[in-house]
Amino acid sequence: AAAAGAAVVAAARWWAAPDAPGRGRLVKANPATQTLAETKPLAVRLTGELAALNAIDVNSTLAGRVSAIRFKTGERVPANSIVAMVEPSNGIQSPGALEAALQRAQDDWTKKKEQAAAIESELARAEEWQREDLIARRDLEQTNAQADLARAQLRLAQARVAQQQAMLAQRRALERQARILAPIAGVVVH
C-alpha cells in the first residue's frame, strides 16, 4: 500500500516554471521504477491561484442593517452557525416590549371578562325582577344595554390579545430570518 502511495505521488503531473532553464515541459515520473525506499523529499515551487472547491455567498432575505458579524476573514466557520445578524429596518418593537404589551392585553381581557360576568348576573337578576314586576321595563333595558357594552368590550379585549400575540409571533419570525447561517463548514474569505 505504501508503494502504491509513492506511485500515485510519482505519477503526478507538474508544469514547471517556464523561466528556469530546462523547465517549461511536462515531466512524468515512471511509477514502476520508484519504490518507497528510494523516495527523497522533493521541494516544488509553483505559481498560480488557488480556488475554493465550494464557494458560497450568504445573504439575508430580511431588509435591514447588519448589526453583528460573528466571524472574521480567515476564521473557520462550522456548518449551520450564525455568521451575522440583521436588524430589521421596519421598526417593530423589541420582544420584551411586545411581551409586556401582550401581558397588559391579557390582564385587560381578564378584567373585561369578570366585568361581563358580573353584568350578565345583574341582567339575569333584572330580567327575573321585571317578570315579577319589581322593576320598570326601562331599568331592564338599561341593564341589557350595559350587558351589550360589556360583551363588546370583552370581544375588543380578545381582539387586542390576538393582535399582540400575532405581533409577537411576527417579531420572533423576523428574529429567525435575521440570523444569517453558514450553509456549509468553511473559511471566511471576505
Side-chain angles (χ1 to χ4, degrees):
V8 170
V9 171
R13 295 182 181 180
W14 300 97
W15 282 100
D19 58 320
R23 295 191 181 177
R25 58 188 163 78
L26 182 63
V27 178
K28 230 190 241 188
N30 185 353
T33 60
Q34 188 171 8
T35 65
L36 187 60
E38 297 172 1
T39 305
K40 295 179 184 173
L42 177 65
V44 178
R45 189 177 294 182
L46 302 170
T47 60
E49 291 184 21
L50 294 176
L53 182 60
N54 293 320
I56 295 177
D57 292 331
V58 292
N59 52 32
S60 175
T61 58
L62 185 64
R65 178 180 66 83
V66 175
S67 60
I69 298 175
R70 304 254 170 109
F71 294 93
K72 295 178 182 164
T73 301
E75 286 186 313
R76 295 196 68 69
V77 178
N80 297 320
S81 60
I82 298 173
V83 177
M85 296 292 291
V86 175
E87 186 176 313
S89 60
N90 55 3
I92 292 181
Q93 294 176 322
S94 71
L98 289 170
E99 287 169 357
L102 175 59
Q103 185 60 51
R104 285 190 304 272
Q106 288 171 334
D107 292 344
D108 184 50
W109 176 78
T110 302
K111 180 180 165 187
K112 298 295 184 194
K113 185 177 178 182
E114 290 168 357
Q115 289 173 348
I119 291 177
E120 290 292 339
S121 293
E122 191 175 319
L123 178 60
R125 196 174 32 229
E127 287 172 342
E128 178 66 31
W129 288 346
Q130 208 280 323
R131 278 192 297 273
E132 296 174 5
D133 285 332
L134 297 175
I135 62 170
R137 179 93 177 134
R138 180 178 48 97
D139 293 337
L140 175 62
E141 289 171 356
Q142 183 179 6
T143 305
N144 200 10
Q146 289 174 345
D148 287 343
L149 178 61
R151 288 184 209 115
Q153 288 176 338
L154 180 60
R155 284 192 303 273
L156 180 61
Q158 285 174 317
R160 285 186 185 132
V161 168
Q163 178 187 24
Q164 291 301 323
Q165 288 172 332
M167 289 175 69
L168 185 57
Q170 181 183 22
R171 175 59 190 202
R172 288 183 176 145
L174 283 174
E175 284 177 347
R176 286 189 298 277
Q177 286 182 333
R179 298 179 190 129
I180 300 174
L181 301 177
I184 61 172
V187 177
V188 177
V189 292
H190 43 347

PDB file of all heavy atoms in Angstrom, residues 13 58 126 136 149 162 189:
ATOM      1  N   ARG A  13       1.460  15.012 -12.347  1.00  0.00           N
ATOM      2  CA  ARG A  13       1.995  15.854 -13.419  1.00  0.00           C
ATOM      3  C   ARG A  13       2.203  17.264 -12.890  1.00  0.00           C
ATOM      4  O   ARG A  13       1.350  17.798 -12.211  1.00  0.00           O
ATOM      5  CB  ARG A  13       1.017  15.892 -14.578  1.00  0.00           C
ATOM      6  CG  ARG A  13       0.834  14.578 -15.243  1.00  0.00           C
ATOM      7  CD  ARG A  13      -0.108  14.733 -16.393  1.00  0.00           C
ATOM      8  NE  ARG A  13      -0.292  13.437 -17.021  1.00  0.00           N
ATOM      9  CZ  ARG A  13      -1.065  13.245 -18.056  1.00  0.00           C
ATOM     10  NH1 ARG A  13      -1.735  14.243 -18.572  1.00  0.00           N
ATOM     11  NH2 ARG A  13      -1.181  12.054 -18.594  1.00  0.00           N
ATOM     12  N   VAL A  58     -23.380  34.105   1.317  1.00  0.00           N
ATOM     13  CA  VAL A  58     -24.517  34.053   2.246  1.00  0.00           C
ATOM     14  C   VAL A  58     -25.140  35.428   2.302  1.00  0.00           C
ATOM     15  O   VAL A  58     -24.446  36.440   2.275  1.00  0.00           O
ATOM     16  CB  VAL A  58     -24.109  33.567   3.666  1.00  0.00           C
ATOM     17  CG1 VAL A  58     -23.702  32.122   3.630  1.00  0.00           C
ATOM     18  CG2 VAL A  58     -22.997  34.416   4.239  1.00  0.00           C
ATOM     19  N   ALA A 126     -82.154  41.255  36.837  1.00  0.00           N
ATOM     20  CA  ALA A 126     -83.091  42.295  36.389  1.00  0.00           C
ATOM     21  C   ALA A 126     -84.238  41.680  35.577  1.00  0.00           C
ATOM     22  O   ALA A 126     -85.391  42.116  35.710  1.00  0.00           O
ATOM     23  CB  ALA A 126     -82.364  43.355  35.573  1.00  0.00           C
ATOM     24  N   ALA A 136     -89.004  48.555  36.616  1.00  0.00           N
ATOM     25  CA  ALA A 136     -89.617  49.067  35.382  1.00  0.00           C
ATOM     26  C   ALA A 136     -88.907  48.475  34.164  1.00  0.00           C
ATOM     27  O   ALA A 136     -87.751  48.058  34.236  1.00  0.00           O
ATOM     28  CB  ALA A 136     -89.517  50.580  35.359  1.00  0.00           C
ATOM     29  N   LEU A 149     -72.758  46.354  26.037  1.00  0.00           N
ATOM     30  CA  LEU A 149     -71.498  47.095  26.054  1.00  0.00           C
ATOM     31  C   LEU A 149     -70.379  46.234  26.646  1.00  0.00           C
ATOM     32  O   LEU A 149     -69.260  46.193  26.105  1.00  0.00           O
ATOM     33  CB  LEU A 149     -71.658  48.399  26.857  1.00  0.00           C
ATOM     34  CG  LEU A 149     -70.402  49.252  27.009  1.00  0.00           C
ATOM     35  CD1 LEU A 149     -69.886  49.710  25.646  1.00  0.00           C
ATOM     36  CD2 LEU A 149     -70.671  50.437  27.923  1.00  0.00           C
ATOM     37  N   ALA A 162     -55.257  38.846  20.655  1.00  0.00           N
ATOM     38  CA  ALA A 162     -54.891  38.167  19.410  1.00  0.00           C
ATOM     39  C   ALA A 162     -53.912  39.014  18.590  1.00  0.00           C
ATOM     40  O   ALA A 162     -52.947  38.489  18.009  1.00  0.00           O
ATOM     41  CB  ALA A 162     -56.140  37.863  18.590  1.00  0.00           C
ATOM     42  N   VAL A 189     -13.709  34.173   3.487  1.00  0.00           N
ATOM     43  CA  VAL A 189     -12.718  34.768   2.591  1.00  0.00           C
ATOM     44  C   VAL A 189     -12.883  36.268   2.411  1.00  0.00           C
ATOM     45  O   VAL A 189     -11.931  36.956   2.133  1.00  0.00           O
ATOM     46  CB  VAL A 189     -12.687  34.059   1.220  1.00  0.00           C
ATOM     47  CG1 VAL A 189     -12.146  32.661   1.352  1.00  0.00           C
ATOM     48  CG2 VAL A 189     -14.031  34.064   0.564  1.00  0.00           C
TER      49      VAL A 189
END
